[in-house]
Protein backbone atom coordinates (compact mmCIF):
# COMPACT_ATOMS: atom_id res chain seq x y z
CA UNK A 1 0.00 0.00 0.00
CA UNK A 2 1.59 3.28 -1.08
CA UNK A 3 0.68 5.28 1.98
CA UNK A 4 0.29 4.29 5.60
CA UNK A 5 -3.39 4.35 6.58
CA UNK A 6 -4.10 6.97 9.23
CA UNK A 7 -6.23 6.41 12.28
CA UNK A 8 -9.42 8.39 12.75
CA UNK A 9 -10.69 9.55 16.09
CA UNK A 10 -13.10 6.99 17.50
CA UNK A 11 -16.66 7.99 16.79
CA UNK A 12 -18.85 8.85 19.77
CA UNK A 13 -20.79 5.67 20.48
CA UNK A 14 -24.15 7.29 21.02
CA UNK A 15 -27.32 5.26 21.36
CA UNK A 16 -25.24 2.15 21.92
CA UNK A 17 -27.89 0.39 24.01
CA UNK A 18 -30.47 0.83 21.26
CA UNK A 19 -28.00 -0.60 18.76
CA UNK A 20 -27.40 -3.67 20.92
CA UNK A 21 -31.13 -4.29 20.97
CA UNK A 22 -31.34 -3.92 17.19
CA UNK A 23 -28.54 -6.43 16.68
CA UNK A 24 -30.51 -9.00 18.67
CA UNK A 25 -33.75 -8.57 16.75
CA UNK A 26 -34.96 -8.48 13.19
CA UNK A 27 -34.46 -4.85 12.24
CA UNK A 28 -37.65 -2.83 11.97
CA UNK A 29 -38.65 -1.14 8.75
CA UNK A 30 -38.39 2.36 10.22
CA UNK A 31 -34.66 2.02 10.93
CA UNK A 32 -33.51 -0.24 8.12
CA UNK A 33 -33.34 0.59 4.42
CA UNK A 34 -32.75 -2.30 2.02
CA UNK A 35 -31.21 -1.68 -1.41
CA UNK A 36 -31.43 -4.62 -3.85
CA UNK A 37 -28.23 -5.56 -5.66
CA UNK A 38 -28.03 -7.42 -8.96
CA UNK A 39 -25.34 -10.00 -9.70
CA UNK A 40 -24.03 -9.26 -13.19
CA UNK A 41 -21.12 -10.39 -15.31
CA UNK A 42 -17.84 -8.96 -14.13
CA UNK A 43 -15.46 -7.08 -16.40
CA UNK A 44 -13.22 -10.15 -16.20
CA UNK A 45 -16.02 -12.40 -17.51
CA UNK A 46 -16.97 -10.00 -20.30
CA UNK A 47 -13.36 -9.68 -21.49
CA UNK A 48 -12.90 -13.46 -21.28
CA UNK A 49 -15.99 -14.06 -23.43
CA UNK A 50 -14.69 -11.64 -26.08
CA UNK A 51 -11.20 -13.18 -26.10
CA UNK A 52 -9.66 -9.96 -24.79
CA UNK A 53 -8.77 -10.98 -21.25
CA UNK A 54 -5.31 -12.48 -21.87
CA UNK A 55 -3.92 -9.36 -23.52
CA UNK A 56 -5.65 -7.10 -21.01
CA UNK A 57 -4.09 -8.86 -18.02
CA UNK A 58 -0.65 -8.74 -19.66
CA UNK A 59 -0.98 -5.00 -20.20
CA UNK A 60 -2.64 -4.26 -16.85
CA UNK A 61 -1.47 -6.51 -14.00
CA UNK A 62 -3.64 -6.28 -10.92
CA UNK A 63 -2.98 -3.20 -8.80
CA UNK A 64 -5.48 -2.77 -6.05
CA UNK A 65 -5.14 0.75 -4.75
CA UNK A 66 -2.89 3.52 -5.90
CA UNK A 67 -2.55 6.87 -4.25
CA UNK A 68 -1.09 8.96 -7.03
CA UNK A 69 -1.43 12.61 -6.09
CA UNK A 70 -0.64 15.18 -8.73
CA UNK A 71 1.11 17.97 -6.85
CA UNK A 72 1.28 20.46 -9.69
CA UNK A 73 -1.56 21.26 -12.03
CA UNK A 74 -1.80 23.93 -14.68
CA UNK A 75 -5.58 23.74 -14.58
CA UNK A 76 -7.32 26.95 -13.55
CA UNK A 77 -9.53 25.13 -11.04
CA UNK A 78 -8.46 23.77 -7.70
CA UNK A 79 -7.10 20.28 -8.19
CA UNK A 80 -7.82 17.08 -6.25
CA UNK A 81 -6.46 13.64 -7.12
CA UNK A 82 -7.62 10.49 -5.41
CA UNK A 83 -6.94 6.75 -5.62
CA UNK A 84 -9.24 4.40 -7.44
CA UNK A 85 -9.05 0.64 -7.64
CA UNK A 86 -8.98 -1.94 -10.37
CA UNK A 87 -12.64 -2.87 -10.76
CA UNK A 88 -12.00 -5.81 -13.06
CA UNK A 89 -13.87 -8.28 -10.84
CA UNK A 90 -16.82 -6.25 -9.55
CA UNK A 91 -20.14 -8.02 -10.16
CA UNK A 92 -22.76 -6.67 -7.70
CA UNK A 93 -24.50 -3.43 -8.64
CA UNK A 94 -27.44 -1.40 -7.32
CA UNK A 95 -29.40 1.65 -8.45
CA UNK A 96 -29.25 5.22 -7.17
CA UNK A 97 -30.45 8.54 -8.55
CA UNK A 98 -28.84 11.98 -8.64
CA UNK A 99 -30.46 15.38 -9.16
CA UNK A 100 -33.93 16.97 -9.30
CA UNK A 101 -35.74 15.40 -11.07
CA UNK A 102 -33.82 12.17 -10.42
CA UNK A 103 -31.38 10.77 -13.00
CA UNK A 104 -30.81 7.05 -12.48
CA UNK A 105 -27.46 5.20 -12.39
CA UNK A 106 -26.22 1.70 -11.58
CA UNK A 107 -23.28 1.77 -9.18
CA UNK A 108 -20.99 -0.53 -7.26
CA UNK A 109 -21.43 -0.16 -3.49
CA UNK A 110 -17.74 -0.40 -2.69
CA UNK A 111 -16.16 -0.70 0.78
CA UNK A 112 -12.68 -0.19 -0.68
CA UNK A 113 -13.14 3.50 -1.60
CA UNK A 114 -15.04 6.51 -0.27
CA UNK A 115 -16.13 8.62 -3.25
CA UNK A 116 -19.20 8.69 -5.46
CA UNK A 117 -18.73 9.31 -9.18
CA UNK A 118 -20.69 8.79 -12.42
CA UNK A 119 -20.15 9.71 -16.10
CA UNK A 120 -21.21 13.17 -17.30
CA UNK A 121 -22.73 14.28 -20.60
CA UNK A 122 -19.48 16.16 -21.29
CA UNK A 123 -17.56 12.89 -21.54
CA UNK A 124 -17.08 11.56 -25.08
CA UNK A 125 -14.86 8.59 -24.20
CA UNK A 126 -16.02 5.20 -25.46
CA UNK A 127 -16.79 4.13 -21.89
CA UNK A 128 -19.09 7.11 -21.36
CA UNK A 129 -20.95 6.66 -24.64
CA UNK A 130 -22.04 3.16 -23.58
CA UNK A 131 -23.19 4.17 -20.09
CA UNK A 132 -25.75 6.51 -18.56
CA UNK A 133 -24.44 10.03 -17.96
CA UNK A 134 -25.46 12.89 -15.70
CA UNK A 135 -26.72 16.15 -17.20
CA UNK A 136 -26.21 19.01 -14.71
CA UNK A 137 -28.46 21.37 -16.66
CA UNK A 138 -31.41 19.03 -16.11
CA UNK A 139 -31.15 19.26 -12.33
CA UNK A 140 -32.47 22.26 -10.40
CA UNK A 141 -30.45 21.28 -7.30
CA UNK A 142 -27.02 20.94 -8.94
CA UNK A 143 -24.07 23.06 -7.74
CA UNK A 144 -20.55 23.33 -9.17
CA UNK A 145 -17.79 23.75 -6.53
CA UNK A 146 -15.18 24.27 -9.26
CA UNK A 147 -12.72 21.50 -8.45
CA UNK A 148 -11.00 19.45 -11.15
CA UNK A 149 -10.47 15.79 -10.17
CA UNK A 150 -8.27 13.00 -11.48
CA UNK A 151 -8.92 9.46 -10.32
CA UNK A 152 -6.11 7.03 -11.15
CA UNK A 153 -6.22 3.26 -10.87
CA UNK A 154 -4.35 0.17 -12.02
CA UNK A 155 -5.64 -0.01 -15.57
CA UNK A 156 -6.65 3.51 -16.50
CA UNK A 157 -7.93 6.77 -15.11
CA UNK A 158 -10.86 9.16 -14.99
CA UNK A 159 -10.61 12.94 -15.37
CA UNK A 160 -13.51 15.17 -14.47
CA UNK A 161 -14.91 17.70 -12.04
CA UNK A 162 -16.64 17.82 -8.69
CA UNK A 163 -20.35 18.54 -8.39
CA UNK A 164 -22.93 18.72 -5.60
CA UNK A 165 -26.52 17.54 -5.80
CA UNK A 166 -29.22 15.46 -4.15
CA UNK A 167 -28.47 11.73 -4.14
CA UNK A 168 -31.19 9.17 -3.46
CA UNK A 169 -30.49 5.58 -2.43
CA UNK A 170 -33.83 3.84 -2.10
CA UNK A 171 -35.69 5.75 0.62
CA UNK A 172 -32.54 7.60 1.73
CA UNK A 173 -31.78 11.14 0.58
CA UNK A 174 -28.41 12.89 0.83
CA UNK A 175 -28.68 16.59 -0.02
CA UNK A 176 -25.73 18.72 -1.15
CA UNK A 177 -23.80 15.52 -1.77
CA UNK A 178 -20.37 15.89 -3.39
CA UNK A 179 -19.75 13.54 -6.30
CA UNK A 180 -17.41 13.23 -9.26
CA UNK A 181 -18.46 13.71 -12.89
CA UNK A 182 -16.21 12.20 -15.52
CA UNK A 183 -15.11 14.08 -18.65
CA UNK A 184 -12.55 11.52 -19.81
CA UNK A 185 -12.47 7.80 -18.97
CA UNK A 186 -9.39 5.92 -20.14
CA UNK A 187 -9.14 2.14 -20.08
CA UNK A 188 -11.01 -0.96 -21.15
CA UNK A 189 -12.14 -1.63 -17.60
CA UNK A 190 -14.67 1.18 -17.82
CA UNK A 191 -15.63 0.34 -21.39
CA UNK A 192 -16.68 -3.21 -20.54
CA UNK A 193 -18.15 -2.55 -17.09
CA UNK A 194 -21.87 -3.19 -16.59
CA UNK A 195 -22.05 -0.44 -13.95
CA UNK A 196 -22.09 3.31 -14.56
CA UNK A 197 -20.18 4.51 -11.50
CA UNK A 198 -18.93 3.82 -7.98
CA UNK A 199 -20.36 4.63 -4.54
CA UNK A 200 -17.62 4.30 -1.91
CA UNK A 201 -18.37 3.19 1.66
CA UNK A 202 -14.93 3.28 3.28
CA UNK A 203 -13.82 5.88 5.84
CA UNK A 204 -13.78 9.68 5.26
CA UNK A 205 -9.96 9.69 5.27
CA UNK A 206 -10.10 8.01 1.85
CA UNK A 207 -12.49 10.58 0.37
CA UNK A 208 -11.42 13.49 -1.82
CA UNK A 209 -10.18 16.38 0.35
CA UNK A 210 -12.90 18.81 1.38
CA UNK A 211 -15.78 16.44 0.58
CA UNK A 212 -18.17 14.47 2.80
CA UNK A 213 -18.69 10.84 1.82
CA UNK A 214 -22.22 9.60 1.12
CA UNK A 215 -22.55 7.48 4.26
CA UNK A 216 -21.34 10.32 6.48
CA UNK A 217 -23.83 12.69 4.88
CA UNK A 218 -26.67 10.20 5.48
CA UNK A 219 -25.74 9.98 9.15
CA UNK A 220 -25.27 13.76 9.46
CA UNK A 221 -28.69 14.40 7.92
CA UNK A 222 -30.41 11.83 10.20
CA UNK A 223 -31.35 9.57 7.31
CA UNK A 224 -30.27 6.40 9.16
CA UNK A 225 -30.88 5.31 12.74
CA UNK A 226 -27.47 3.77 13.37
CA UNK A 227 -24.05 4.24 11.70
CA UNK A 228 -24.00 0.74 10.18
CA UNK A 229 -24.54 -0.96 6.84
CA UNK A 230 -24.46 -4.62 5.86
CA UNK A 231 -24.09 -6.81 2.75
CA UNK A 232 -25.71 -10.07 1.73
CA UNK A 233 -24.27 -11.36 -1.56
CA UNK A 234 -26.11 -14.20 -3.29
CA UNK A 235 -24.10 -17.17 -4.53
CA UNK A 236 -25.78 -18.22 -7.77
CA UNK A 237 -28.91 -16.16 -8.32
CA UNK A 238 -28.77 -12.92 -10.29
CA UNK A 239 -31.25 -11.30 -7.89
CA UNK A 240 -31.46 -11.53 -4.11
CA UNK A 241 -28.34 -9.67 -3.00
CA UNK A 242 -28.86 -6.60 -0.80
CA UNK A 243 -27.01 -3.79 0.93
CA UNK A 244 -28.85 -2.50 4.00
CA UNK A 245 -28.36 0.82 5.80
CA UNK A 246 -29.13 1.70 9.42
CA UNK A 247 -29.45 -1.81 10.86
CA UNK A 248 -29.37 -5.52 10.05
CA UNK A 249 -31.96 -8.13 9.11
CA UNK A 250 -31.41 -11.53 10.74
CA UNK A 251 -33.12 -13.46 7.96
CA UNK A 252 -29.96 -13.15 5.87
CA UNK A 253 -27.69 -15.05 8.26
CA UNK A 254 -27.72 -17.87 10.79
CA UNK A 255 -26.13 -18.03 14.22
CA UNK A 256 -24.78 -14.96 15.95
CA UNK A 257 -22.66 -12.16 14.57
CA UNK A 258 -19.00 -12.40 15.59
CA UNK A 259 -17.39 -8.98 15.98
CA UNK A 260 -13.91 -8.11 14.73
CA UNK A 261 -12.30 -4.78 15.73
CA UNK A 262 -10.68 -2.76 12.97
CA UNK A 263 -6.92 -2.46 13.09
CA UNK A 264 -7.05 0.61 10.82
CA UNK A 265 -10.28 2.64 10.45
CA UNK A 266 -9.39 3.90 6.98
CA UNK A 267 -10.11 0.95 4.74
CA UNK A 268 -12.20 -1.73 6.47
CA UNK A 269 -8.98 -3.29 7.70
CA UNK A 270 -8.73 -6.13 10.22
CA UNK A 271 -6.10 -8.50 11.61
CA UNK A 272 -6.04 -11.97 10.05
CA UNK A 273 -4.64 -14.64 12.38
CA UNK A 274 -3.76 -17.32 9.77
CA UNK A 275 -4.97 -19.27 6.74
CA UNK A 276 -5.01 -23.08 7.02
CA UNK A 277 -5.71 -26.16 4.90
CA UNK A 278 -6.38 -29.45 6.72
CA UNK A 279 -4.70 -27.93 9.75
CA UNK A 280 -1.58 -26.85 7.87
CA UNK A 281 -0.79 -23.14 7.73
CA UNK A 282 -0.85 -21.97 4.10
CA UNK A 283 -0.73 -18.23 4.59
CA UNK A 284 -0.34 -15.50 7.17
CA UNK A 285 1.73 -17.70 9.53
CA UNK A 286 2.52 -14.93 12.00
CA UNK A 287 -0.66 -12.91 11.61
CA UNK A 288 -1.20 -10.24 8.96
CA UNK A 289 -3.56 -7.51 7.80
CA UNK A 290 -6.59 -7.86 5.53
CA UNK A 291 -9.07 -5.50 3.88
CA UNK A 292 -12.72 -6.55 3.67
CA UNK A 293 -13.70 -5.30 0.22
CA UNK A 294 -17.04 -5.64 -1.58
CA UNK A 295 -15.42 -4.12 -4.69
CA UNK A 296 -13.16 -7.13 -5.32
CA UNK A 297 -14.46 -10.54 -6.39
CA UNK A 298 -11.43 -12.71 -5.59
CA UNK A 299 -9.37 -13.54 -2.53
CA UNK A 300 -6.11 -11.67 -3.03
CA UNK A 301 -2.81 -12.14 -1.27
CA UNK A 302 1.00 -12.06 -1.63
CA UNK A 303 2.30 -13.91 -4.68
CA UNK A 304 4.31 -16.49 -2.69
CA UNK A 305 1.35 -17.40 -0.48
CA UNK A 306 -1.08 -17.56 -3.41
CA UNK A 307 1.37 -19.74 -5.36
CA UNK A 308 1.47 -22.13 -2.41
CA UNK A 309 -2.32 -22.35 -2.36
CA UNK A 310 -2.40 -22.91 -6.12
CA UNK A 311 0.04 -25.80 -5.77
CA UNK A 312 -2.25 -27.43 -3.19
CA UNK A 313 -5.36 -27.13 -5.37
CA UNK A 314 -3.50 -28.13 -8.60
CA UNK A 315 -4.19 -24.82 -10.31
CA UNK A 316 -2.48 -24.37 -13.70
CA UNK A 317 -1.50 -21.03 -15.22
CA UNK A 318 -3.58 -20.52 -18.37
CA UNK A 319 -3.91 -17.27 -20.36
CA UNK A 320 -2.92 -15.09 -17.38
CA UNK A 321 -5.42 -16.87 -15.07
CA UNK A 322 -5.37 -20.06 -13.00
CA UNK A 323 -7.50 -23.03 -14.09
CA UNK A 324 -8.45 -25.82 -11.68
CA UNK A 325 -9.82 -29.27 -12.66
CA UNK A 326 -13.58 -29.04 -12.20
CA UNK A 327 -13.75 -32.38 -10.39
CA UNK A 328 -11.73 -30.70 -7.63
CA UNK A 329 -14.97 -28.97 -6.62
CA UNK A 330 -16.11 -32.32 -5.23
CA UNK A 331 -13.00 -33.32 -3.28
CA UNK A 332 -10.91 -30.36 -2.08
CA UNK A 333 -11.27 -29.33 1.59
CA UNK A 334 -12.25 -25.99 3.08
CA UNK A 335 -9.64 -23.27 3.31
CA UNK A 336 -9.98 -21.73 6.77
CA UNK A 337 -9.45 -18.05 7.56
CA UNK A 338 -8.99 -17.50 11.30
CA UNK A 339 -10.00 -14.00 12.37
CA UNK A 340 -10.04 -12.80 15.98
CA UNK A 341 -9.65 -16.45 17.13
CA UNK A 342 -12.73 -17.59 15.16
CA UNK A 343 -12.47 -19.98 12.19
CA UNK A 344 -14.23 -18.99 8.95
CA UNK A 345 -14.13 -21.94 6.51
CA UNK A 346 -14.42 -21.12 2.80
CA UNK A 347 -15.65 -24.27 0.95
CA UNK A 348 -14.20 -25.43 -2.33
CA UNK A 349 -17.30 -24.47 -4.30
CA UNK A 350 -16.71 -20.90 -3.15
CA UNK A 351 -12.99 -20.69 -4.01
CA UNK A 352 -13.05 -22.79 -7.22
CA UNK A 353 -15.33 -20.88 -9.59
CA UNK A 354 -17.09 -22.60 -12.50
CA UNK A 355 -17.72 -20.49 -15.61
CA UNK A 356 -20.69 -21.67 -17.67
CA UNK A 357 -19.58 -19.97 -20.89
CA UNK A 358 -16.48 -22.13 -21.36
CA UNK A 359 -17.16 -24.93 -18.85
CA UNK A 360 -13.82 -24.30 -17.14
CA UNK A 361 -13.12 -23.82 -13.44
CA UNK A 362 -10.93 -21.00 -12.14
CA UNK A 363 -9.15 -20.34 -8.88
CA UNK A 364 -10.80 -17.79 -6.61
CA UNK A 365 -7.33 -16.70 -5.46
CA UNK A 366 -5.04 -14.21 -7.14
CA UNK A 367 -1.97 -12.27 -6.09
CA UNK A 368 -1.54 -8.58 -5.50
CA UNK A 369 1.58 -6.51 -5.98
CA UNK A 370 4.10 -7.35 -3.28
CA UNK A 371 4.92 -3.63 -3.19
CA UNK A 372 1.41 -2.91 -1.93
CA UNK A 373 2.62 -3.34 1.63
CA UNK A 374 5.91 -3.99 3.38
CA UNK A 375 4.23 -6.83 5.27
CA UNK A 376 1.91 -9.64 4.18
CA UNK A 377 -1.48 -8.27 3.13
CA UNK A 378 -4.74 -9.91 2.01
CA UNK A 379 -7.97 -8.68 0.47
CA UNK A 380 -11.13 -10.58 1.37
CA UNK A 381 -13.37 -10.03 -1.63
CA UNK A 382 -16.68 -11.49 -2.73
CA UNK A 383 -15.43 -15.11 -2.70
CA UNK A 384 -15.33 -14.70 1.08
CA UNK A 385 -18.30 -12.35 1.43
CA UNK A 386 -20.70 -14.67 -0.39
CA UNK A 387 -20.10 -17.18 2.41
CA UNK A 388 -20.37 -14.67 5.27
CA UNK A 389 -22.98 -11.98 5.83
CA UNK A 390 -21.02 -8.88 6.80
CA UNK A 391 -21.93 -5.88 8.96
CA UNK A 392 -19.82 -2.72 8.74
CA UNK A 393 -20.17 -0.79 12.01
CA UNK A 394 -18.83 2.76 11.76
CA UNK A 395 -20.04 3.65 15.25
CA UNK A 396 -17.76 1.15 16.96
CA UNK A 397 -15.11 0.65 14.23
CA UNK A 398 -15.73 -3.04 13.78
CA UNK A 399 -16.97 -5.70 11.37
CA UNK A 400 -19.57 -8.35 12.17
CA UNK A 401 -19.48 -11.76 10.44
CA UNK A 402 -22.03 -14.59 10.39
CA UNK A 403 -22.74 -17.48 8.04
CA UNK A 404 -24.94 -16.32 5.17
CA UNK A 405 -28.14 -18.25 4.51
Amino acid sequence: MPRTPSFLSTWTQERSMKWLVILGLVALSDCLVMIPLTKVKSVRERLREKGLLKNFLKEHPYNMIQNLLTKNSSHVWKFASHPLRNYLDVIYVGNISIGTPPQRFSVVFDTGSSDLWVPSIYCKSKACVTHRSFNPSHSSTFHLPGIFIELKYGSGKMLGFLGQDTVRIGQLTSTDQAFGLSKVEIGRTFEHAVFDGILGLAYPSLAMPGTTAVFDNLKKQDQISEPVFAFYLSTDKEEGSVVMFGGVDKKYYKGELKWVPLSQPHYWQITLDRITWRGEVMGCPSGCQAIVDTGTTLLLGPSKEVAKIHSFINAVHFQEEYVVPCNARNVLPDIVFTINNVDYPVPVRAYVLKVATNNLCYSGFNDIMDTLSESEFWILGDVFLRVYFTVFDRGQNRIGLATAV
Side-chain angles (χ1 to χ4, degrees), residues 115-134:
D115 297 311
L116 168 63
W117 71 269
V118 296
S120 80
I121 61 167
Y122 308 108
C123 179
K124 304 304 179 184
S125 302
K126 186 176 180 180
C128 298
V129 173
T130 57
H131 291 86
R132 286 171 283 200
S133 56
F134 183 77

Side-chain angles (χ1 to χ4, degrees), residues 43 56 60 84-85 87 98 105-107 116-134 148-153 155-161 179-198:
V43 178
F56 179 88
H60 306 289
L84 247 190
R85 300 158 47 259
Y87 293 102
I98 305 174
F105 299 91
S106 64
V107 298
L116 168 63
W117 71 269
V118 296
S120 80
I121 61 167
Y122 308 108
C123 179
K124 304 304 179 184
S125 302
K126 186 176 180 180
C128 298
V129 173
T130 57
H131 291 86
R132 286 171 283 200
S133 56
F134 183 77
F148 178 74
I149 59 174
E150 179 178 3
L151 307 181
K152 297 184 179 180
Y153 70 117
S155 38
K157 63 181 178 180
M158 182 275 265
L159 305 174
F161 58 95
F179 68 106
L181 289 157
S182 70
K183 292 189 69 177
V184 179
E185 293 182 20
I186 302 171
R188 285 184 179 177
T189 297
F190 291 137
E191 292 177 20
H192 295 278
V194 177
F195 56 89
D196 301 313
I198 310 296

